Amino acid sequence: MTEPVGVRIKRLPHGHGLDLPAYATSGAAGMDVLAAENVTIKPGQRHAVATGFAVAIPDGYEIQVRPRSGLALKHGITVPNTPGTIDSDYRGELKVIMINHGEEAFAIARGDRVAQLVLAPVTQAKWSEVEELDETGRGAGGFGSTGGHAKLA
Ligand SMILES: O=c1ccn([C@H]2C[C@H](O)[C@@H](COP(=O)(O)OP(=O)(O)OP(=O)(O)O)O2)c(=O)[nH]1
Ligand SMILES: [Mg+2]
């Protein structure tokens, strides 16, 4: 595990009383983030869940908003834009977009752990436009060109 990277976090008025996003275990990749509101998401519906926090991510990093597998497996509650991207220059409230793919309405209570935040290094690309690209064995083959799933014997 590399050294933790400092990230500034600001508690918004409706975030008062909520725990900061936190790693549930010492080796966790993601910090569980809590809902700052009570909301019920009906089947097929989506909602941007407030977290009550804004952050200032250091240059060279992003935060990815990822679903929690337990909510996905047990209730069909997931993050449709996963991994959600929190840009280093974003200063608004961090929100978790959630969609209910299940059959039942899902009630989120303030303080529930709704998603997880992964701090990740990011490198910006600088395009170099060319007339021709180098040739490779794969060439333009893709989308299953190397074979499908294993055949049954
Ligand atoms: O799950 C998410 C995704 C995004 N954001 C915030 C932080 C991010 O920096 C900003 C913009 O997100 P994104 O680039 O994914 O959305 P966009 O549709 O491209 O909007 P914009 O034009 O504002 O970049 O919205 C969240 O709070 N939660
Ligand atoms: Mg964008």
Side-chain angles (χ1 to χ4, degrees):
M1 190 78 64
T2 53
E3 276 296 296
V5 172
V7 181
R8 282 168 290 153
I9 185 163
K10 179 182 170 186
R11 191 182 293 273
L12 303 174
H14 56 286
H16 280 289
L18 287 178
D19 288 342
L20 293 178
Y23 298 103
T25 63
S26 60
M31 294 173 276
D32 290 328
V33 62
L34 281 52
E37 60 178 322
N38 299 308
V39 61
T40 296
I41 307 178
K42 292 184 184 149
Q45 282 192 339
R46 3 176 233 284
H47 181 78
V49 179
T51 65
F53 290 98
V55 296
I57 303 165
D59 273 353
Y61 292 89
E62 61 161 337
I63 284 178
Q64 299 177 359
V65 184
R66 301 195 197 164
R68 295 187 69 207
S69 61
L71 291 179
L73 181 63
K74 292 179 202 148
H75 304 287
I77 299 291
T78 186
V79 173
N81 59 324
T82 188
T85 304
I86 310 299
D87 300 290
S88 65
D89 55 358
Y90 178 68
R91 297 293 177 269
E93 180 173 12
L94 203 158
K95 293 194 174 177
V96 177
I97 304 171
M98 309 211 79
I99 188 164
N100 185 349
H101 285 307
E103 289 83 42
E104 288 168 20
F106 186 75
I108 294 169
R110 180 179 164 85
D112 283 352
R113 293 178 294 153
V114 289
Q116 51 189 327
L117 308 178
V118 175
L119 180 73
V122 69
T123 305
Q124 284 190 339
K126 191 173 84 180
W127 291 119
S128 172
E129 192 173 347
V130 294
E131 293 294 324
E132 297 296 336
L133 301 172
D134 58 309
E135 289 182 13
T136 69
R138 172 182 285 276
F143 315 103
S145 67
T146 63
H149 51 78
K151 290 193 180 74
L152 292 176

